[in-house]
Amino acid sequence: MRIVRFAHPAGMSFGVLDGDGQVAQIEGHPFGQISFTGQRFAAADVRLLSPILPSKVVCIGKNYADHVAEMKGVTGDAPKAPLIFLKPSTSVIGPGDAIRIPPGSTNVHHEVELAVVIGARGARSVTEEQAMASVFGYTIGNDVSERDMQVSDGQWTRAKGFDSFCPLGPWIETDLAGLGKDPADLAISCTVDGEPRQSGRTSQLIFGLPMLISYISQVMTLLPGDVVLTGTPSGVGPIAPGQRVECTIEGLGTLTNTVSGADRTSTAGGSR
């Protein structure tokens, strides 16, 4: 099932995107038993937003060996345990929204990542065996990063936390298995203006999904709707105003965002 969050003439709602290009509106949030309102919209007549507004986005750094190698001069060696950092909820934007380059920045990079969305039960101190029962579904994330600040600050909060630095979407897939797909082995890629930049598979993750969810849950409670970004393969590189970034994951579609210069009048997180 593809869960979307969308804007329509009467407001904003969650819905289910079906194979005919129709969005069926649902009551309230998508966790638990889904109840349909009976309203349907053509996908072409609505605007898709970020499929979820998480209380927090928990990110995993240096989780592909080839990315560790390409970033060694910036972030050092591979970690012995998952490296956790956070992106604020205000960094989240949706498909079609613009990634905004901070004033004076010339070294902002794309990072395509498999995004795990936590379900209604949340996750607190779960074991690896329990971890996957906490998953609601999967979407695509782009962990946009300002490299010069990442190097100069040591801590990554500023480099990773600007408004618009966490595109998510275009939807949450709740049944990858039903599509014959396994989140532990999905093709993942990124292009900029059609130029291939990143290409890998989630089977290359150093730390797999059950371990990541369990590890994070020992530190902080994962609430329903929270997002875990699981790491990026090699090939990260700069993006600039006027470019188009497309992040694709097998079974999850393509998340497309443009790149723009800073706009001080924008609301936090764009349309989110």
Side-chain angles (χ1 to χ4, degrees), residues 40-169:
R40 294 178 67 84
F41 302 85
D45 295 336
V46 302
R47 174 174 171 75
L48 294 186
L49 307 173
S50 61
I52 199 71
L53 288 177
S55 76
K56 54 186 173 293
V57 180
V58 186
C59 307
I60 305 298
K62 303 194 293 185
N63 202 24
Y64 284 79
D66 56 1
H67 179 57
V68 173
E70 74 175 348
M71 293 294 292
K72 189 169 184 177
V74 176
T75 60
D77 297 326
K80 292 182 171 56
L83 174 62
I84 299 174
F85 61 94
L86 296 174
K87 292 174 89 80
S89 60
T90 47
S91 67
V92 173
I93 57 174
D97 290 335
I99 299 165
R100 301 193 301 279
I101 304 297
S105 292
T106 59
N107 198 18
V108 174
H109 285 203
H110 58 81
E111 293 191 8
V112 61
E113 309 205 6
L114 175 65
V116 179
V117 182
I118 300 300
R121 69 172 63 191
R124 181 176 183 271
S125 299
V126 298
T127 65
E128 291 188 36
E129 292 72 26
Q130 297 167 328
M132 299 307 289
S134 300
V135 175
F136 176 66
Y138 304 89
T139 190
I140 303 169
N142 186 353
D143 176 21
V144 181
S145 306
E146 212 290 359
R147 295 293 184 218
D148 294 335
M149 295 179 187
Q150 189 174 8
V151 173
S152 66
D153 291 2
Q155 298 290 333
W156 296 358
T157 301
R158 186 166 65 124
K160 303 278 193 173
F162 282 95
D163 291 350
S164 81
F165 269 28
C166 188
L168 294 175

